[in-house]
Amino acid sequence: MTSGTATRRLAERQQVLAEIQQAQTGAAQRRQRLSWAAWGAAALIIGVIVAIALITSQPTTSTDVRVAPDFTLPASDGSNVSLADYRGEPVVLYFNEGAGCDSCLLQMAEIEKDPAFAEAGITVLPIVMNTAEQINADRERLGVQAPFLLDDGTVSAAYDTLGKGMHEGLPGHGFVLIDADGQQLWHGNYPSMWLAPADLLEEVTSRL
């Protein structure tokens, strides 16, 4: 092999190596750009999800006044409770998802701990679409004293509470204020699954 041929082949190999290195560098740059694009898209998606969550978790309220639909429901302690039993005093109906929703029961447990409701003469009646066995198991586990009223969906529908939470066929996390004359004065839905008892009491007493 002549020196000229060897030199030419060496130059060719160096050219090939340079082209390979250039291709590898270009591929790495493209991967990096795709990676940044993927991260950007993921961040955008997360931002949209967070924004939607914030919007959908905002409470909604209504102050439309109407005659509160009457009802009689069995309670988880075996009794029967009628709305008419409370005529002459304000009542707050607490519609919630019930069994399986610990935050729903803890909401009631915290309301029970606040003596201001009794001092204001306000009764809170929790209403769920469960059997007594289902809700009582959670009541005992979480230390809730009040019996829950057991609805088949009729009362929840009458008060427009179905589908206001995470499940289409169940109540969400809502409160309805009924005054001593049986008038519905206020209705609040709380998709965040929580309303501080002090805030609930302030909402209620400010409208009586």
Side-chain angles (χ1 to χ4, degrees):
M1 178 184 299
T2 65
S3 60
T5 301
T7 300
R8 187 173 61 255
R9 289 183 177 178
L10 177 61
E12 290 173 350
R13 284 197 297 271
Q14 290 175 337
Q15 178 65 28
V16 170
L17 289 173
E19 290 175 354
I20 292 172
Q21 185 176 16
Q22 185 178 9
Q24 290 175 337
T25 300
Q29 290 174 341
R30 286 193 296 274
R31 286 195 298 270
Q32 186 175 35
R33 286 195 296 269
L34 288 172
S35 177
W36 282 112
W39 277 108
L44 178 61
I45 291 171
I46 292 171
V48 171
I49 292 173
V50 169
I52 292 173
L54 289 173
I55 292 171
T56 57
S57 66
Q58 294 301 308
T60 59
T61 62
S62 171
T63 55
D64 294 339
V65 177
R66 65 166 179 165
V67 176
D70 200 8
F71 61 82
T72 298
L73 291 174
S76 60
D77 63 357
S79 65
N80 287 294
V81 175
S82 296
L83 181 61
D85 297 338
Y86 294 90
R87 188 59 59 87
E89 60 181 279
V91 175
V92 173
L93 308 181
Y94 168 39
F95 292 91
N96 62 93
E97 294 180 5
C101 176
D102 283 8
S103 61
C104 297
L105 278 85
L106 291 173
Q107 172 82 79
M108 191 63 204
E110 291 303 307
I111 290 172
E112 289 178 336
K113 293 176 184 177
D114 191 339
F117 285 88
E119 292 169 0
I122 297 169
T123 300
V124 179
L125 297 176
I127 301 176
V128 294
M129 290 174 58
N130 297 134
T131 66
E133 291 75 16
Q134 289 170 333
I135 196 64
N136 283 341
D138 280 4
R139 285 179 56 241
E140 293 170 9
R141 178 171 60 87
L142 296 170
V144 182
Q145 301 300 314
F148 280 50
L149 306 190
L150 311 175
D151 180 27
D152 63 2
T154 303
V155 177
S156 296
Y159 282 90
D160 192 28
T161 65
L162 295 178
K164 303 298 184 180
M166 294 184 292
H167 304 284
E168 186 64 30
L170 292 176
H173 195 97
F175 301 91
V176 178
L177 170 62
I178 301 171
D179 70 10
D181 297 320
Q183 297 288 313
Q184 177 179 323
L185 303 183
W186 170 77
H187 183 181
N189 289 305
Y190 294 84
S192 64
M193 310 302 285
W194 177 254
L195 176 60
D199 292 338
L200 172 61
L201 187 63
E202 181 178 356
E203 284 279 7
V204 170
T205 54
S206 69
R207 302 175 192 283
L208 292 173

